[in-house]
């Protein structure tokens, strides 16, 4: 595991403090989980954007067209 040091403005730090206390976990664990989730969503959105572009290049523009393409296989 690597160590990351960062400066957090007061407002997000206070929110982090409140939530960590409410959840009964450390600020470090909460920040680690938040970063992990953020990166998962960012990676998903990147993949989604690439897949949409690929589908559109193949003439698929709607959900219905996706299902029709699956039926024809």
């Amino acid at each position: 595991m690597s160590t990351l040091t960062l400066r957090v403005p007061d407002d997000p730090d206070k929110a982090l403090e409140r939530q960590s206390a409410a959840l009964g976990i450390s600020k470090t664990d909460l920040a680690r989980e938040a970063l992990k989730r953020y990166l998962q969503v960012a990676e998903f959105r990147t993949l989604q954007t690439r897949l949409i572009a690929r589908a559109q290049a193949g003439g698929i523009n709607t959900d219905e067209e996706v299902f029709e393409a699956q039926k024809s296989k």
Side-chain angles (χ1 to χ4, degrees), residues 46-62:
T46 298
L47 180 59
Q48 183 181 40
T49 298
R50 288 182 16 216
L51 289 174
I52 288 171
R54 186 174 175 185
Q56 288 174 340
I60 297 174
N61 295 295
T62 66

Side-chain angles (χ1 to χ4, degrees), residues 8 18-19 21 23 35 38 42 51 55 66 70:
V8 179
R18 284 191 306 272
Q19 286 301 308
L23 296 170
L35 179 59
Y38 174 86
L51 289 174
V66 171
Q70 283 299 107

Side-chain angles (χ1 to χ4, degrees), residues 2-8:
S2 297
T3 300
L4 172 68
T5 303
L6 58 105
R7 296 184 192 281
V8 179

Side-chain angles (χ1 to χ4, degrees), residues 6-68:
L6 58 105
R7 296 184 192 281
V8 179
D10 289 339
D11 288 345
D13 185 52
K14 289 176 186 174
L16 187 60
E17 184 73 44
R18 284 191 306 272
Q19 286 301 308
S20 68
L23 296 170
I25 61 175
S26 69
K27 286 174 33 175
T28 297
D29 287 343
L30 181 56
R32 185 181 298 124
E33 183 63 26
L35 179 59
K36 178 182 169 184
R37 288 183 186 195
Y38 174 86
L39 292 172
Q40 287 172 339
V41 169
E43 288 176 12
F44 172 80
R45 288 182 177 155
T46 298
L47 180 59
Q48 183 181 40
T49 298
R50 288 182 16 216
L51 289 174
I52 288 171
R54 186 174 175 185
Q56 288 174 340
I60 297 174
N61 295 295
T62 66
D63 293 345
E64 291 80 18
E65 290 171 343
V66 171
F67 297 126
E68 287 300 319

